[in-house]
Amino acid sequence: MIDYLLKFPSKQVAEQFGIASGYVVDNESVIETTLATHQYALHEIGEHNGTDYWFLFRDLVGLPVPQGADQFIFWASDWTVEDDAGSEIQVPRPEFNPDVPSVFWT
């Protein structure tokens, strides 16, 4: 299971990406999110700090990252870095950053 925190420059860009990737549908000009399947769950966080539009995407089965998604991934639970000793450690979720929404699944 991998969690992705996605940051879009606007709700419209998020909707366009979601439609292109198959995670939302345009139902007579009403954008509807496919919130969950047996493969993923999607949580619309919404606008934060009056600018960016955020989503939390939980990949339950190891789905391939859609083309173009890299530019919107702010954080992923499988990201790692090396510490000073050269050991690989996880990048912590950005829960105490005021520029990032604090709504996360536990």
Side-chain angles (χ1 to χ4, degrees):
M1 179 177 67
I2 303 171
D3 285 342
Y4 295 94
L5 184 59
L6 305 171
K7 175 183 164 186
F8 296 91
S10 69
K11 183 176 183 176
Q12 291 74 27
V13 172
E15 289 173 346
Q16 291 169 358
F17 177 77
I19 290 169
S21 302
Y23 297 115
V24 300
V25 294
D26 186 343
N27 187 5
E28 297 180 20
S29 298
V30 175
I31 305 300
E32 295 178 348
T33 305
T34 306
L35 296 175
T37 70
H38 292 290
Q39 297 181 325
Y40 69 87
L42 183 63
H43 174 68
E44 183 176 356
I45 297 170
E47 189 176 290
H48 181 68
N49 285 348
T51 56
D52 301 311
Y53 208 79
W54 298 78
F55 280 85
L56 188 61
F57 183 91
R58 178 165 282 171
D59 176 358
L60 302 172
V61 296
L63 297 168
V65 175
Q67 184 175 358
D70 290 344
Q71 65 184 317
F72 303 119
I73 299 173
F74 185 83
W75 170 84
S77 63
D78 67 342
W79 284 357
T80 60
V81 294
E82 285 189 9
D83 65 10
D84 294 338
S87 299
E88 198 172 82
I89 58 171
Q90 281 191 307
V91 174
R93 67 182 189 188
E95 59 188 319
F96 300 112
N97 181 336
D99 295 326
V100 178
S102 60
V103 178
F104 287 96
W105 288 312
T106 51

